[in-house]
Amino acid sequence: MVQLSRRQLLTAAGAATVAAGLGACDSSPAEPADLDGKRAGAMDAFKAGDQFKATEPLTFSIMMLSNQGYPYRADWPFFKELTARTNVTLDSIAVPGSDYNQKRSVMVSAGDAPFIIPKTYHPDEEAFIAGGAILPVSDYAELMPHFTEKVARWNLQPNLDGFKAEDGKYYLLPGLHENAWQDYSLAVRTDVLAKLGLTAPQTFDDLTNVLREMKKAHPDVYPLSDRWSTPPQPGANNLLNLIATAHDAHAGWGWTPTHWDAAAGRFVYSGATDQYRQTLVYVNTLVKEGLLDPESFTQTDDIARQKFATGKSFMISANAQTVVNEARKDIAKISGATVAKMILPTGPTGATLPGTTRLENGIMISKKALDSPNFVAMMQFIDWLWYSDAGLMFSKWGIEGQTYTGNVDDGSFKLDPGITWGGINPDAPKNLQVDYGFSNGVFAYGGSTAMLNSQFSDEEKAFQAEMNKRQIRPVAPPAPLSIEEREQVTLWDSALKDHVFQNTLKFALGQRPLSEWDAYVKELEGKNSVQYLDIVNKAYERYKKAHG
């Protein structure tokens, strides 16, 4: 990325300073546990660049999300090779993706969780802090040289600060990206654009005009009929997220209850901002003019895809994989039909991207792990597999000479021609995820921009090159709540969020006129939005005073 994402990199000395800071306590809570007697199997002087290999065979328990697209298999080559390289065997508790969050919550709360609990999205970990079931992982960051080195070199400390609790510690180890990146956009029937003499829209206003021309030529269709909206609520929606982000708002997948108002120097309630209102004005215009299928907010993916496949719509939400694996296959029966992912249109915020995309879902560590004599070895293992270049390459692409050749840094990387993944070698007989267990979302995320680009076709690389030109917006400052404050805002949050989501849908579909916006904001205040913000802003001021 450019601009803010290409800040001057820290020196090696700076890296050491950040590493120390990561492991330190900012507000004098209890000191980390003594690690004497917890180093069995650990490597001495483990440092960034080292291959981790336990000094004795070890087994660590892990919660394993079983993805519907590549269900968990204990005999994947990934596991066999991982043991050969690290002397570690993973004892997997496999859970279907549909049940993962609920199962994780039950197991963690009951103290029955495995040592390693991945695939956790911030701020989900906050629910488990008060009960003491998970470790403040920042206390042990000094055991993870690859993690601390990347945080320093990629200047991710401001992002990581947003994960901290009131005690100045963070309880989730996130995946780390060198730069912000954008995957999701809209896929468009490029043959329809060409036939109508249209070019791909550059702004959301352009998008409206393109949809109008499509509607004029095909009055019996909704040009845009979308997916990824089930269960039917605006909190599970990609399109709202894309539009809101372009307006500097939080909606759909990007919903967060508070929004940082840099000009005012305080947090405001996301669902009551003028930017949120502008987002809904835009969506309502599309619905009112028959440009956006009103069922986009409730229909299943299968129905949305069927409409796209039968020419009843010309645009649909997409990412790099779904364009290749789904959209192109879906329209194969339409003579001459072609589809591509459009460059993400811009809005009032201009050519920018939010800085929040530099951190990924991550890992919680069960407090029980601290009782293990192999605790240090486990942290070294996690550091190598999730944060070292070698570990990331292994979990993403597998075994050099067997599943791939070359390397990502010089552009010589090539997936074996007999293996397919994400549109690469689409006719190959083997699948990297299904048959081998590599590129599994439990392990393979984050990494350098070169690593990210290695998974892309030339078409997607061109998309990413355009996204890389955009300026990265700063992340919000930390405002960690105390346990009591978190309990209080949690009581208010559900009712507030439900009211926002219900009225988002009503405003978007025209079931409630936008002239009632002020009344809606008053309704939020009646549900304690002002008190909610008072707590958050006091937490922000408190943290700023204590930690600068």
Side-chain angles (χ1 to χ4, degrees):
M1 295 290 172
V2 294
Q3 309 268 346
L4 292 176
S5 68
R6 292 186 185 250
R7 299 182 182 99
Q8 197 170 26
L9 296 180
L10 298 178
T11 62
T17 300
V18 172
L22 288 170
C25 165
D26 291 334
S27 55
S28 302
E31 289 299 313
D34 188 349
L35 296 177
D36 288 345
K38 303 180 188 300
R39 300 180 181 274
M43 293 176 59
D44 292 331
F46 180 59
K47 62 184 183 301
D50 286 351
Q51 163 69 52
F52 170 77
K53 189 158 190 176
T55 59
E56 60 185 72
L58 300 176
T59 298
F60 300 128
S61 57
I62 183 172
M63 192 164 179
M64 186 79 187
L65 184 147
S66 182
N67 191 294
Q68 184 178 4
Y70 44 95
Y72 167 77
R73 282 171 41 185
D75 63 349
W76 272 330
F78 169 86
F79 292 115
K80 182 178 180 181
E81 181 67 18
L82 181 66
T83 300
R85 295 190 185 200
T86 65
N87 214 11
V88 170
T89 299
L90 289 177
D91 178 15
S92 301
I93 300 174
V95 181
S98 59
D99 299 330
Y100 191 81
N101 287 352
Q102 181 178 3
K103 181 73 170 178
R104 180 192 61 202
S105 179
V106 170
M107 295 183 73
V108 173
S109 299
D112 296 330
F115 283 5
I116 304 171
I117 313 163
K119 214 64 182 171
T120 298
Y121 289 83
H122 177 72
D124 288 357
E125 79 281 6
E126 292 180 354
F128 310 113
I129 294 174
I134 60 173
L135 286 181
V137 289
S138 54
D139 281 349
Y140 309 99
E142 64 185 19
L143 302 175
M144 306 180 66
H146 295 97
F147 174 81
T148 54
E149 188 272 341
K150 280 185 167 60
V151 168
R153 181 157 52 90
W154 293 346
N155 197 19
L156 283 165
Q157 188 60 51
N159 301 65
L160 205 54
D161 283 346
F163 279 39
K164 288 181 177 178
E166 187 193 21
D167 59 9
K169 304 181 181 189
Y170 51 88
Y171 291 72
L172 182 72
L173 288 168
L176 309 177
H177 286 284
E178 181 179 5
N179 288 307
W181 71 292
Q182 179 71 33
D183 187 11
Y184 290 85
S185 184
L186 293 170
V188 59
R189 282 276 301 278
T190 47
D191 62 304
V192 174
L193 288 179
K195 186 175 180 179
L196 296 177
L198 302 170
T199 57
Q202 297 184 12
T203 68
F204 273 100
D205 286 342
D206 293 342
L207 176 63
T208 303
N209 291 329
V210 166
L211 292 169
R212 284 170 176 159
E213 292 301 314
M214 289 179 167
K215 183 72 174 181
K216 188 185 300 181
H218 302 273
D220 57 334
V221 307
Y222 289 109
L224 171 54
S225 185
D226 212 24
R227 63 182 306 182
W228 290 328
S229 291
T230 51
Q233 59 172 350
N237 184 279
N238 173 60
L239 181 61
L240 274 173
N241 180 43
L242 297 181
I243 298 169
T245 299
H247 287 80
D248 192 25
H250 309 293
W253 284 350
W255 168 258
T256 59
T258 58
H259 174 79
W260 174 247
D261 185 334
R266 67 189 305 275
F267 286 92
V268 293
Y269 194 73
S270 293
T273 65
D274 189 60
Q275 298 98 306
Y276 200 93
R277 184 188 63 81
Q278 291 173 10
T279 298
L280 298 182
V281 168
Y282 182 86
V283 176
N284 176 254
T285 298
L286 299 187
V287 173
K288 186 167 52 179
E289 295 188 22
L291 309 179
L292 172 63
D293 185 352
E295 294 182 356
S296 295
F297 300 99
T298 54
Q299 67 189 355
T300 64
D301 282 12
D302 287 344
I303 291 176
R305 288 177 60 187
Q306 184 180 31
K307 290 178 180 178
F308 191 74
T310 55
K312 293 181 179 178
S313 69
F314 305 131
M315 290 187 194
I316 190 170
S317 279
N319 60 28
Q321 291 191 53
T322 61
V323 167
V324 175
N325 295 339
E326 297 177 358
R328 287 189 175 141
K329 293 178 181 178
D330 288 346
I331 63 169
K333 293 182 180 180
I334 302 177
S335 178
T338 54
V339 61
K341 187 172 73 167
M342 69 173 67
I343 300 300
L344 183 66
T346 60
T349 60
T352 64
L353 291 174
T356 51
T357 58
R358 298 187 68 200
L359 297 185
E360 267 274 11
N361 68 82
I363 303 163
M364 296 188 297
I365 305 296
S366 171
K367 188 175 183 180
K368 294 187 303 183
L370 193 58
D371 297 328
S372 169
N374 309 123
F375 175 75
V376 173
M378 186 191 75
M379 297 302 290
Q380 292 177 347
F381 166 76
I382 290 171
D383 181 60
W384 179 83
L385 181 57
W386 273 275
Y387 299 104
S388 75
D389 291 342
L392 288 164
M393 190 69 188
F394 166 72
S395 61
K396 180 67 179 176
W397 294 122
I399 306 167
E400 186 174 8
Q402 294 185 32
T403 59
Y404 75 91
T405 57
N407 70 68
V408 299
D409 293 320
D410 63 10
S412 63
F413 167 83
K414 289 190 182 302
L415 187 63
D416 184 277
I419 302 172
T420 184
W421 182 88
I424 301 175
N425 306 328
D427 298 322
K430 294 286 189 178
N431 184 289
L432 187 67
Q433 294 170 309
V434 175
D435 299 303
Y436 293 88
F438 297 111
S439 284
N440 188 307
V442 171
F443 305 102
Y445 52 81
S448 67
T449 299
M451 174 69 74
L452 178 68
N453 287 340
S454 70
Q455 69 189 36
F456 296 143
S457 64
D458 289 342
E459 175 185 11
E460 180 62 17
K461 287 176 183 176
F463 174 90
Q464 291 297 328
E466 288 300 314
M467 294 296 100
N468 288 349
K469 297 175 183 178
R470 300 193 175 182
Q471 184 174 351
I472 307 306
R473 303 202 295 267
V475 296
L481 306 181
S482 68
I483 293 172
E484 294 78 11
E485 289 169 336
R486 190 178 301 113
E487 289 176 348
Q488 179 60 71
V489 299
T490 298
L491 292 175
W492 295 331
D493 183 62
S494 180
L496 280 166
K497 183 170 66 174
D498 286 348
H499 197 68
V500 171
F501 288 0
Q502 290 168 10
N503 282 275
T504 293
L505 197 55
K506 290 178 181 178
F507 285 131
L509 297 180
Q511 296 169 351
R512 183 175 187 180
L514 280 155
S515 59
E516 295 186 9
W517 179 261
D518 290 344
Y520 153 76
V521 172
K522 287 290 186 183
E523 291 160 10
L524 293 178
E525 293 173 357
K527 295 181 182 295
N528 299 298
S529 65
V530 174
Q531 293 91 324
Y532 189 115
L533 290 171
D534 284 344
I535 288 178
V536 172
N537 281 304
K538 286 177 182 176
Y540 159 68
E541 294 292 345
R542 182 175 64 235
Y543 188 89
K544 183 174 68 170
K545 182 178 180 180
H547 308 293

